[in-house]
């Protein structure tokens, strides 16, 4: 098999890897905010339930979680989740939401209480206070941690091979096996690396943009 | 006319009773200073008056309207709309300024008038620039808080409070976080406001300043008012605790 054919076949999978990446961010980042609020809730039941959710998501391998989501319903209820893709997106989003939630929580709790008090005395509503005063400062503070998480996500998309979803790395491994070639791994490595260079560049720009205040 | 009445305020944190039955009246144009040792409860009075803390018992009244009313020894707060209205009567200047770091100086001063009071951007900006001018900070409108000295930041926060056109302005130890050479500029601003008949309540450790600027002084200790009256009366007090406190301050 020529390099060109190999690259084309893996290229089809790259689109899918990028799709996992994009959809996971799209769902897990807002979901993480909800989880963070649940984690900080004064309601003990909600708080405990969310704590348990986070500890399971962080305490077990994502690969295992994907297997459970895809095969679990079959063994438990005898029903099939038809779509490997859906299982991948659900698994990734639930997992990453837990990590984002903890990052958000650390950011929110690092904002001095005086900021809330100043906003309160000036008459800002709770929503205004959070959206206008607190959240912008939280975003600035958590950017480095979020960058870490996004970079990990780029590489984690390869875990979709666990349920044989045909993203780039899954295809690459198949080609490597059938062609007894090392080249697919090189292509995969370059892909992840270049992708993460772009992520780091974009996040650097974002940090720079927010560096006008301390 | 009374701008503020606090009647029989009580407040505990857990088992610790920090305010035991305190009543305060502030008339229009009056400057009241609250002095006393650390832990005497003076900041807590201010935080109750500005509703950052909820009172356990007692009334909180702004311009004759109840924000909280004592019912059988328990403070019952008014509904949300009335509390919002009560809140519009006062401004608070914090010890640590608490400016919004991501907003420019101008935006710090004009944002609440626009978003909370729904004033027009043009009008709010005009007022904000006038206030910054008055505070000697006209050239800092586009700066960000971290680029300013502590004294400048505190002046911005005074402008921010004034921009809401409050009937009464509270100061919670406004110079305590400042280097000694910067306290003078803040005290000067407060004196100017006093000369413009701004109604103010000031919690402070600056004794000579309190004496100069106040119409009335309250000396608090252990959650009660020990002495109250004109500066002359309070500073000439024969009360043992008051004398002891003043002696420590005068070295």
């Amino acid at each position: 098999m020529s390099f060109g054919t190999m690259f084309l076949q893996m290229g089809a999978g790259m689109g899918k890897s990028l799709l996992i990446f994009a959809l996971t961010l799209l769902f897990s980042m807002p979901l993480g905010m909800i989880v963070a609020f649940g984690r900080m809730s004064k309601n003990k039941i909600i708080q405990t339930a969310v704590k348990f959710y986070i500890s399971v998501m962080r305490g077990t391998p994502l690969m295992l979680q994907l297997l459970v989501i895809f095969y679990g319903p079959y063994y438990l209820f005898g029903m099939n989740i038809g779509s490997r893709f859906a299982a991948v997106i659900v698994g990734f989003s639930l997992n990453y939401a837990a990590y984002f939630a903890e990052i958000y929580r650390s950011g929110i709790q690092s904002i001095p209480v005086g900021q809330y008090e100043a906003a309160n005395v000036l008459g800002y509503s709770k929503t205004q206070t959070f959206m206008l005063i607190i959240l912008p400062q939280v975003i600035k503070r958590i950017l480095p941690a979020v960058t870490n998480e996004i970079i990990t996500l780029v590489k984690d998309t390869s875990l979709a091979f666990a349920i044989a979803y045909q993203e780039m790395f899954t295809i690459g491994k198949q080609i490597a096996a059938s062609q007894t070639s090392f080249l697919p791994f090189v292509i995969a490595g370059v892909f992840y690396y270049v992708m993460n260079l772009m992520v780091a560049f974009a996040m650097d720009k974002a940090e720079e943009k927010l560096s006008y205040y301390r | 006319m009374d701008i503020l009445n606090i009647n029989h305020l009580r407040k505990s944190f857990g088992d610790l009773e920090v305010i035991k039955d305190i009543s305060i009246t502030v008339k229009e144009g009056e400057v009241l200073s609250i002095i006393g040792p650390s832990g005497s409860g003076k900041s807590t009075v201010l935080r109750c008056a500005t509703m950052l803390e909820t009172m356990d018992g007692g009334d909180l009244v702004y311009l004759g309207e109840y924000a909280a009313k004592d019912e059988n020894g328990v403070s019952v707060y008014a509904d949300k709309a009335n509390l919002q209205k009560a809140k519009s009567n006062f401004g608070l200047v914090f010890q640590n300024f608490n400016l919004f770091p991501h907003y420019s100086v101008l935006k710090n001063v004009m944002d609440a008038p626009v978003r909370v009071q729904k004033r027009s951007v043009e009008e709010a900006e005009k007022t904000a620039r006038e206030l910054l001018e008055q505070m000697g900070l006209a050239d800092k409108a586009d700066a960000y808080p971290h680029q300013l000295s502590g004294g400048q930041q505190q002046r911005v926060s005074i402008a921010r409070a004034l921009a809401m056109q409050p009937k009464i302005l509270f100061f919670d130890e406004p110079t305590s976080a400042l280097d000694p050479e910067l306290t003078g500029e803040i005290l000067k601003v407060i004196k100017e406001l006093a000369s413009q008949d701004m109604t103010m309540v000031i919690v402070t450790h600056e004794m000579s300043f309190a004496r100069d600027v106040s119409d009335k002084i309250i000396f608090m200790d252990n959650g009660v008012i020990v002495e109250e009256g004109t500066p002359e009366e309070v500073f000439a007090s024969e009360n043992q605790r008051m004398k002891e406190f003043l002696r420590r301050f005068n070295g």
Side-chain angles (χ1 to χ4, degrees), chain A residues 112-125 128 132-134 136-137 211-214, chain B residues 47 50 52 84 87 90-92 94 98-103 111-112 115-116 118 144 146 160 164:
Chain A
V113 66
Q115 293 289 305
Y116 291 91
E117 293 185 343
N120 178 344
V121 170
L122 288 168
Y124 288 95
S125 69
Q128 282 177 324
L132 302 171
I133 310 295
I134 306 301
Q137 299 184 55
S211 66
Y212 68 90
Y213 73 91
R214 276 205 287 270
Chain B
R47 292 175 60 82
T50 51
L52 291 174
Q84 191 70 14
K87 220 178 248 177
F90 62 78
L92 170 61
F94 295 86
N98 291 334
L99 292 174
F100 303 134
H102 58 307
Y103 283 176
D111 194 62
R115 293 204 199 260
V116 176
K118 310 292 176 205
Y144 284 84
H146 77 271
R160 178 175 71 173
M164 301 298 277

Side-chain angles (χ1 to χ4, degrees), chain A residues 103-152:
Chain A
I103 293 175
Y104 297 158
R105 183 171 69 92
S106 74
I108 290 169
Q109 291 179 341
S110 76
I111 304 296
V113 66
Q115 293 289 305
Y116 291 91
E117 293 185 343
N120 178 344
V121 170
L122 288 168
Y124 288 95
S125 69
K126 283 215 161 80
T127 315
Q128 282 177 324
T129 301
F130 185 75
M131 298 305 288
L132 302 171
I133 310 295
I134 306 301
L135 189 59
Q137 299 184 55
V138 168
I139 290 172
K140 179 186 167 80
R141 288 181 189 212
I142 64 174
L143 268 185
V146 167
T147 304
N148 261 340
E149 215 43 47
I150 296 179
I151 283 176
T152 306

Side-chain angles (χ1 to χ4, degrees), chain B residues 6-48:
Chain B
I6 296 176
N7 305 321
H8 305 294
L9 163 61
R10 284 185 300 104
K11 174 71 182 172
S12 301
F13 293 112
D15 290 335
L16 185 70
E17 193 175 29
V18 282
I19 310 284
K20 306 157 188 159
D21 191 5
I22 276 189
S23 299
I24 289 173
T25 298
V26 184
K27 294 190 164 50
E28 190 166 11
E30 201 171 53
V31 177
L32 166 69
S33 291
I34 306 179
I35 60 174
S38 303
S40 59
K42 46 193 197 312
S43 280
T44 306
V45 171
L46 216 62
R47 292 175 60 82
C48 286

Side-chain angles (χ1 to χ4, degrees), chain A residues 4-198:
Chain A
T5 326
M6 228 178 246
F7 189 81
L8 273 180
Q9 284 187 9
M10 287 178 72
M14 283 177 198
K16 289 178 179 170
S17 297
L18 288 175
L19 195 59
I20 298 173
F21 171 76
L23 289 179
T24 301
L25 283 186
L26 182 70
F27 294 127
S28 66
M29 292 187 97
L31 184 60
M33 193 53 89
I34 297 170
V35 176
F37 281 123
R39 175 70 181 74
M40 292 183 290
S41 168
K42 290 195 180 77
N43 182 323
K44 280 278 170 222
I45 299 170
I46 296 177
Q47 196 203 90
T48 310
V50 171
K51 257 185 179 166
F52 178 71
Y53 165 76
I54 292 174
S55 85
V56 170
M57 286 296 147
R58 294 200 303 185
T60 60
L62 175 53
M63 197 195 291
L64 180 65
Q65 291 165 17
L66 291 174
L67 290 169
V68 167
I69 287 170
F70 188 65
Y71 296 112
Y74 174 75
Y75 289 112
L76 287 174
F77 315 109
M79 65 183 219
N80 245 327
I81 290 199
S83 165
R84 292 172 194 278
F85 177 67
V88 166
I89 298 303
V90 170
F92 271 81
S93 297
L94 290 179
N95 179 279
Y96 272 80
Y99 284 94
F100 280 127
E102 288 295 272
I103 293 175
Y104 297 158
R105 183 171 69 92
S106 74
I108 290 169
Q109 291 179 341
S110 76
I111 304 296
V113 66
Q115 293 289 305
Y116 291 91
E117 293 185 343
N120 178 344
V121 170
L122 288 168
Y124 288 95
S125 69
K126 283 215 161 80
T127 315
Q128 282 177 324
T129 301
F130 185 75
M131 298 305 288
L132 302 171
I133 310 295
I134 306 301
L135 189 59
Q137 299 184 55
V138 168
I139 290 172
K140 179 186 167 80
R141 288 181 189 212
I142 64 174
L143 268 185
V146 167
T147 304
N148 261 340
E149 215 43 47
I150 296 179
I151 283 176
T152 306
L153 173 61
V154 168
K155 297 176 289 184
D156 271 0
T157 55
S158 62
L159 289 174
F161 86 88
I163 53 175
Y165 177 67
Q166 298 287 309
E167 48 74 55
M168 187 265 293
F169 195 65
T170 310
I171 298 173
K173 277 189 12 164
Q174 289 161 356
I175 297 173
S178 66
Q179 304 291 316
T180 52
S181 163
F182 188 68
L183 202 51
F185 296 136
V186 176
I187 295 173
V190 170
F191 169 78
Y192 291 126
Y193 184 71
V194 170
M195 184 65 198
N196 272 332
L197 273 185
M198 292 193 290

